Amino acid sequence: MENNKIVGISADFDPVHLGHEALIKKALEIAKDEKEVVVYLNKGTSANHAPFFTNFEARKEMALKLGANRVVGVDGLHHRLNLSYSVPIRMAMMIEDGLTDYVSAANVSSKKIIDYGKEFARKEIFSGIPRNLPNRNVIRWFAVNEFLYKKYNKKVEFHMIPEVEVDGEKISGRVIRKEILDNDLEIPDHIKKLLPSSTVKILKKHISYGNIPEKRDLKEIKWHANKDSLTNLLDTAYINVKAAEKIMDKRSYNFADQIWGSLRMADYGPVLTRLAISCIEKGVTKKEVYDLLLDYEKDGIIPPDQTISKIIDRAWFVAVETSYGIPAQVANKNFFSRKNISIKRPVTVEGGMYLKSNELKYLKEDVKVGLYVDNKQRIACRMKINKYKIKTPLVLEGHVATYIRLLMDSQFIPLYAKLVHKKKGWRIRISVGS
């Protein structure tokens, strides 16, 4: 067996059910004695940005028991990145590991998946796959495979099997987990029918150890939701201005559902809510995600339309266009419809302040400044110099204010502001990204 020829499966396996067993059986059939079957198993946080029900060691044991040759833990992605970014990174990792074949399940024809995948690969953006498309995540994986061909000159062969059904119903990991939880961690007989016998034994063993289910650190989440300043919340990845305001409005929090509710009131969907909560729990900043993505961009793994510079360029383009009366939606569409568009945006922008005369004596060059949006929806700043605190709205040109506000609402673009002294007086200099 050559370790550089791999039939791979990428999954949560939470827990391993009959559908997952079918994937491993198909992988073993493809591999024969010539290739290695490797399960790339998500670790730490699930692909849906939630804590796992079944701990990693149990899921690893389940996969190996069904015949996988090796299990590789994939950690550090899903509490920081959404699927449009984590899938290219995971696919690249697998290809570099020696992936030749990929096995997945879908209830649509391979031809439809291939056609959809090629279309999204042509656009080189994986964040806009419509929710109404069946098996949209499989389509994303296929599109990423097409995209990465340019980097590796190697196209992984996809093998699709039908999704396994029992009594006419698709097997759902979410339903399995809920039924076991609702039954006080006893596995009901109707759930046992959905699981390989080895999974049942391993589940029972790890439940008895007390490490199933895994849970979020609610104490940490509540601490941040109750104590973080507005500027600190806005430094957190995937927290936009509205979300930060809603979190602040509803303090203090005693229960997790209250925090979830605040994010839903900020128009966050279930997936983005889970990702934002993961970032609050683990202290993930916008800078951390920004730096992580820059590293992957340098390796050519992030598609051009999803790069950091593209996100920042779009904000500047839309800000300038709207200053001429063009609606933001139209400006956004114009930006993505124009290929090889050249954007000349400033490296830094500066704004004035409304200061009281007695505050001037406290100002110092290069003092770090926090940005936020005040209750009149003005971009404002706060600074602490020694023990003295100053808050003031910023004086910005219209299109500059729109640009900064768009970036404040971005998911992972950090902004840095500091005091600078110029001939005309004190200014706030804002740098984007770094």
Side-chain angles (χ1 to χ4, degrees):
M1 181 185 297
E2 292 182 48
N3 289 336
N4 64 340
K5 290 185 178 180
I6 290 170
V7 182
I9 300 165
S10 180
D12 282 338
F13 279 9
D14 190 25
V16 172
H17 55 59
L18 295 180
H20 301 139
E21 181 182 38
L23 290 174
I24 293 174
K25 283 182 177 177
K26 180 65 176 179
L28 290 167
E29 176 190 315
I30 296 163
K32 299 179 182 176
D33 293 326
E34 301 169 0
K35 298 179 182 180
E36 187 182 21
V37 173
V38 179
V39 175
Y40 294 86
L41 196 60
N42 294 326
K43 188 177 182 181
T45 306
S46 76
N48 283 321
H49 321 299
F52 284 104
F53 172 77
T54 316
N55 67 299
F56 177 76
E57 291 305 321
R59 292 180 290 120
K60 177 180 177 180
E61 188 178 349
M62 291 170 189
L64 293 172
K65 201 74 174 177
L66 291 176
N69 301 118
R70 184 160 56 99
V71 171
V72 175
V74 180
D75 201 1
L77 294 179
H78 297 117
H79 67 282
R80 293 187 179 107
L81 302 171
N82 58 37
L83 288 174
S84 63
Y85 287 97
S86 64
V87 170
I89 293 167
R90 284 153 65 198
M91 190 70 174
M93 181 189 76
M94 293 160 68
I95 291 172
E96 290 174 6
D97 201 25
L99 187 74
T100 58
D101 301 81
Y102 183 80
V103 182
S104 191
N107 275 351
V108 294
S109 69
S110 295
K111 184 180 184 307
K112 282 188 177 179
I113 288 173
I114 290 169
D115 290 344
Y116 281 131
K118 285 183 176 178
E119 175 62 17
F120 286 106
R122 183 185 64 78
K123 294 177 181 177
E124 293 188 335
I125 186 166
F126 308 125
S127 57
I129 300 178
R131 294 182 180 278
N132 61 350
L133 283 182
N135 301 107
R136 62 197 290 260
N137 199 38
V138 178
I139 292 168
R140 182 183 282 114
W141 276 91
F142 189 89
V144 168
N145 183 39
E146 292 283 315
F147 165 71
L148 289 176
Y149 176 72
K150 288 184 292 186
K151 174 177 173 61
Y152 295 105
N153 196 29
K154 175 183 177 182
K155 197 171 288 187
V156 174
E157 186 172 350
F158 270 52
H159 304 268
M160 308 304 300
I161 65 169
E163 294 178 323
V164 174
E165 295 182 353
V166 173
D167 298 329
E169 294 286 334
K170 175 186 164 184
I171 301 173
S172 165
R174 182 183 58 80
V175 170
I176 290 169
R177 296 188 292 271
K178 183 178 184 301
E179 291 289 308
I180 296 173
L181 284 169
D182 289 348
N183 204 45
D184 295 325
L185 294 181
E186 293 289 332
I187 307 170
D189 288 341
H190 68 283
I191 294 299
K192 288 179 182 176
K193 291 197 310 181
L194 309 178
L195 307 171
S197 59
S198 56
T199 290
V200 174
K201 290 177 183 176
I202 295 166
L203 263 181
K204 285 181 176 179
K205 179 177 68 175
H206 282 270
I207 287 171
S208 72
Y209 292 164
N211 52 21
I212 292 178
E214 294 190 329
K215 297 178 181 178
R216 290 193 186 274
D217 187 343
L218 294 181
K219 184 178 179 181
E220 187 74 13
I221 295 168
K222 286 192 291 183
W223 190 93
H224 285 290
N226 286 322
K227 301 293 184 182
D228 271 351
S229 67
L230 182 57
T231 51
N232 282 348
L233 284 172
L234 287 170
D235 284 339
T236 304
Y238 303 96
I239 298 293
N240 65 18
V241 170
K242 188 173 183 180
E245 288 172 347
K246 292 297 181 184
I247 291 171
M248 297 284 288
D249 286 347
K250 298 298 180 181
R251 289 175 169 174
S252 43
Y253 297 98
N254 296 310
F255 305 102
D257 286 350
Q258 296 170 315
I259 305 169
W260 266 247
S262 292
L263 288 170
R264 298 308 295 273
M265 287 176 67
D267 302 321
Y268 277 39
V271 175
L272 185 54
T273 296
R274 290 192 296 269
L275 181 51
I277 290 290
S278 294
C279 290
I280 292 171
E281 176 188 8
K282 298 179 185 295
V284 179
T285 63
K286 288 178 179 174
K287 182 182 186 306
E288 182 179 339
V289 177
Y290 176 91
D291 290 342
L292 180 70
L293 287 177
L294 280 183
D295 285 341
Y296 285 115
E297 281 183 25
K298 290 172 186 173
D299 291 337
I301 292 168
I302 305 300
D305 274 358
Q306 289 180 209
T307 58
I308 295 290
S309 60
K310 196 80 169 182
I311 294 168
I312 300 172
D313 284 349
R314 182 194 69 83
W316 180 256
F317 181 87
V318 171
V320 172
E321 291 276 283
T322 53
S323 71
Y324 294 115
I326 298 170
Q329 286 184 328
V330 175
N332 189 62
K333 188 176 179 181
N334 289 343
F335 177 78
F336 284 110
S337 65
R338 300 177 189 177
K339 292 296 179 185
N340 302 317
I341 188 170
S342 178
I343 303 293
K344 293 182 179 179
R345 55 176 165 85
V347 176
T348 62
V349 296
E350 292 182 1
M353 296 170 284
Y354 297 101
L355 294 170
K356 299 172 186 175
S357 57
N358 69 315
E359 291 176 328
L360 292 171
K361 63 185 178 183
Y362 294 103
L363 302 187
K364 294 180 181 179
E365 191 87 18
D366 292 333
V367 166
K368 184 180 176 183
V369 175
L371 299 177
Y372 67 101
V373 175
D374 68 15
N375 55 13
K376 294 183 180 179
Q377 293 302 300
R378 299 172 299 186
I379 296 173
C381 71
R382 58 185 292 175
M383 63 196 94
K384 184 177 180 181
I385 306 171
N386 298 326
K387 294 183 179 180
Y388 196 83
K389 295 178 182 178
I390 299 174
K391 289 184 178 181
T392 172
L394 293 183
V395 183
L396 297 162
E397 293 182 74
H399 67 286
V400 173
T402 302
Y403 174 56
I404 295 302
R405 179 58 191 265
L406 287 171
L407 294 176
M408 290 178 77
D409 277 329
S410 71
Q411 295 180 333
F412 43 73
I413 305 297
L415 296 172
Y416 301 94
K418 67 178 182 178
L419 270 172
V420 294
H421 192 261
K422 310 200 68 173
K423 288 182 179 179
K424 293 183 179 181
W426 290 98
R427 308 281 288 174
I428 299 296
R429 178 174 294 161
I430 303 171
S431 303
V432 178
S434 60

